[in-house]
């Protein structure tokens, strides 16, 4: 015969009364409830505490021990919970909450110090990483060396960094350094965009190939601020699959949309003289003019200066030879 599943029966709260003498005897409860009661320490009911009382006090201690039952009995569980209720400061939950608060304070100190180091390095234009960031290195890079310097000056900071921090929450890994730098860059970009507001501006764009052979496009916005000064702010570098005019146009559109800027506010374009930039029919200049006829194109003055310097340098034999020798060196 197959085993029948155990039937779960709930306790009727009306059967639980404050006066033990008026309580329902255990034998009148459903058998599954009686079994559940016996599972916790195996204590049996004793009428001396509910009905008949105790007349033989010589056996009182034995009766009390019998009533208390085993270590996991209902009586002992109720006693432990009552004592924990009386002393909540030393309860497990209270201790966990206290430790959590201490961890939060330490994390905030660690994050604040790391962010301050990031802001300093970005402001000074210094590199973050070192060639060898291991604990045995004599120079672990600007970021970690500054953290070490901070910890040597402040005991509160020292208690939260490196060996005193959790292994998975050091706040100095390469990934964390990049995330902090990106967070600062986002805040700076947001400040630039807020300064532009609904003003008109000029696009200054140039494309190049970086050392990893990836094509990238740098974008600068030129505008007049509220004090009447002409401001040029670098807004970002965008990696592109190629340097065709259509690809660059799509990248510019995405960048402007990302920062809630409109192409209709563009009043000037400044690029170099390459065909993909200033081409009359399919160049970037023409694609933007098709959407915004007020975006006047001007050949980039910096690029014109570069062309002039290159032309002059080529006309001077000594300078030409110097650059020839430089390019020939390994």
């Amino acid at each position: 015969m197959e085993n029948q599943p155990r039937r779960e029966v709930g306790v009727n709260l009306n059967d639980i009364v404050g006066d033990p003498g008026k309580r329902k005897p255990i034998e009148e409860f459903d058998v599954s409830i009686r079994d559940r009661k016996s599972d916790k320490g195996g204590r049996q009911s004793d009428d001396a505490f509910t009905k008949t009382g105790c007349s033989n006090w010589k056996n009182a201690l034995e009766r009390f021990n019998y009533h208390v039952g085993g270590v996991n009995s209902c009586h002992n569980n109720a006693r432990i919970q009552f004592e924990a209720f009386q002393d909540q400061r030393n309860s497990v939950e209270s201790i966990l909450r206290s430790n959590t608060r201490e961890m939060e304070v330490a994390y905030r100190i660690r994050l604040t110090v790391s962010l301050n180091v990031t802001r300093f390095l970005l402001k000074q234009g210094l590199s973050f990483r070192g060639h060898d960031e291991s604990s045995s290195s004599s120079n672990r890079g600007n970021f970690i060396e500054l953290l070490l310097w901070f910890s040597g000056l402040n005991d509160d900071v020292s208690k939260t960094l490196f060996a005193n921090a959790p292994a998975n929450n050091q706040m100095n890994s390469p990934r964390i350094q990049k995330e902090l730098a990106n967070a600062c860059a986002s805040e700076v970009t947001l400040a630039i965009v807020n300064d532009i507001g609904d003003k008109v501006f000029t696009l200054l764009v140039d494309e190049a190939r970086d050392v990893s052979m990836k094509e990238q496009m740098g974008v600068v916005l030129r505008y007049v601020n509220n004090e009447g000064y002409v401001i040029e702010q670098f807004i970002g570098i965008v990696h592109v699959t190629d340097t065709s005019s259509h690809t660059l146009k799509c990248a510019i559109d995405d960048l402007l949309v990302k920062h809630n800027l409109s192409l209709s506010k563009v009043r000037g374009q400044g690029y170099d003289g390459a065909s993909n930039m200033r081409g009359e029919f399919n160049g970037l200049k023409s694609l933007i003019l098709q959407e915004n006829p007020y975006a006047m194109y001007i050949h980039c003055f910096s690029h014109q200066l570069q062309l002039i310097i290159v032309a002059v340098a080529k006309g001077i034999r000594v300078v030409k030879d110097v650059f020839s020798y430089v390019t020939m060196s390994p």
Side-chain angles (χ1 to χ4, degrees):
M1 182 176 182
E2 297 182 358
N3 293 331
Q4 296 294 329
R6 186 170 181 175
R7 183 169 57 93
E8 293 291 336
V9 178
V11 178
N12 186 357
L13 297 180
N14 294 326
D15 294 334
I16 303 176
V17 295
D19 188 349
K22 296 180 180 181
R23 291 176 185 170
K24 185 177 179 179
I26 185 63
E27 60 269 12
E28 295 183 12
F29 281 88
D30 188 275
V31 65
S32 62
I33 297 179
R34 281 183 281 170
D35 291 343
R36 193 187 314 164
K37 188 179 183 67
S38 299
D39 288 341
K40 294 187 176 181
R43 185 188 68 81
Q44 303 296 326
S45 62
D46 192 344
D47 292 341
F49 295 94
T50 58
K51 295 181 180 180
T52 61
C54 182
S55 59
N56 186 1
W57 289 102
K58 294 181 180 180
N59 299 325
L61 182 59
E62 180 182 348
R63 287 291 183 181
F64 277 113
N65 292 332
Y66 182 76
H67 171 74
V68 170
V71 176
N72 295 323
S73 68
C74 295
H75 178 92
N76 279 323
N77 286 332
R79 176 182 57 80
I80 292 172
Q81 293 180 23
F82 176 71
E83 292 174 352
F85 176 77
Q86 287 184 311
D87 188 14
Q88 295 188 30
R89 290 185 178 180
N90 294 325
S91 66
V92 174
E93 183 179 358
S94 176
I95 293 174
L96 288 175
R97 281 201 302 265
S98 176
N99 289 340
T100 300
R101 285 193 295 269
E102 292 177 1
M103 292 173 62
E104 288 178 354
V105 171
Y107 174 78
R108 184 175 293 275
I109 294 175
R110 191 159 53 249
L111 176 61
T112 301
V113 173
S114 298
L115 186 57
N116 286 337
V117 169
T118 300
R119 293 171 60 187
F120 174 80
L121 293 177
L122 291 175
K123 183 178 180 179
Q124 299 302 117
L126 300 175
S127 61
F128 280 58
R129 302 291 307 282
H131 293 292
D132 182 5
E133 296 184 350
S134 63
S135 58
S136 60
S137 174
S138 60
N139 189 341
R140 303 174 65 183
N142 291 329
F143 186 86
I144 295 182
E145 290 295 336
L146 277 175
L147 287 180
L148 290 169
W149 180 74
F150 260 115
S151 63
L153 294 178
N154 192 307
D155 291 337
D156 292 334
V157 173
S158 178
K159 294 176 182 178
T160 65
L161 292 178
F162 300 106
N164 295 324
N168 61 346
N169 195 358
Q170 294 283 315
M171 297 297 294
N172 58 20
S173 67
R175 182 175 65 85
I176 293 298
Q177 295 180 35
K178 290 182 179 179
E179 289 182 357
L180 291 175
N182 289 333
C184 291
S186 298
E187 290 298 318
V188 171
T189 303
L190 180 61
I192 294 172
V193 172
N194 290 336
D195 191 35
I196 295 175
D198 60 349
K199 305 180 186 70
V200 296
F201 56 90
T202 294
L203 280 173
L204 303 177
V205 179
D206 194 14
E207 83 285 351
R209 181 176 297 177
D210 60 18
V211 293
S212 63
M213 305 306 291
K214 292 182 179 179
E215 299 290 349
Q216 60 182 6
M217 177 184 67
V219 180
V220 173
L221 300 183
R222 179 183 174 95
Y223 62 97
V224 179
N225 65 7
N226 294 330
E227 287 74 31
Y229 293 99
V230 177
I231 305 295
E232 289 186 356
Q233 298 283 14
F234 175 76
I235 200 68
I237 292 179
V238 181
H239 289 283
V240 292
T241 56
D242 56 69
T243 57
S244 66
S245 58
H246 289 280
T247 301
L248 299 179
K249 172 63 166 54
C250 292
I252 291 174
D253 289 339
D254 293 339
L255 185 64
L256 294 180
V257 170
K258 177 182 177 181
H259 298 301
N260 295 320
L261 298 172
S262 174
L263 190 64
S264 63
K265 292 290 185 178
V266 177
R267 291 297 180 268
Q269 306 179 64
Y271 317 130
D272 59 28
S275 60
N276 64 327
M277 305 299 288
R278 63 174 298 181
E280 293 295 329
F281 300 102
N282 294 319
L284 178 61
K285 173 199 74 173
S286 302
L287 296 178
I288 291 180
L289 283 173
Q290 291 174 12
E291 294 188 27
N292 182 1
Y294 304 103
M296 181 183 300
Y297 168 75
I298 299 175
H299 191 172
C300 176
F301 292 122
S302 298
H303 189 256
Q304 292 185 47
L305 177 61
Q306 177 193 7
L307 295 177
I308 293 172
I309 294 175
V310 171
V312 171
K314 288 182 177 179
I316 302 175
R317 180 63 181 271
V318 177
V319 176
K320 181 179 179 181
D321 291 342
V322 169
F323 283 101
S324 297
Y325 294 144
V326 169
T327 57
M328 292 171 59
S329 61

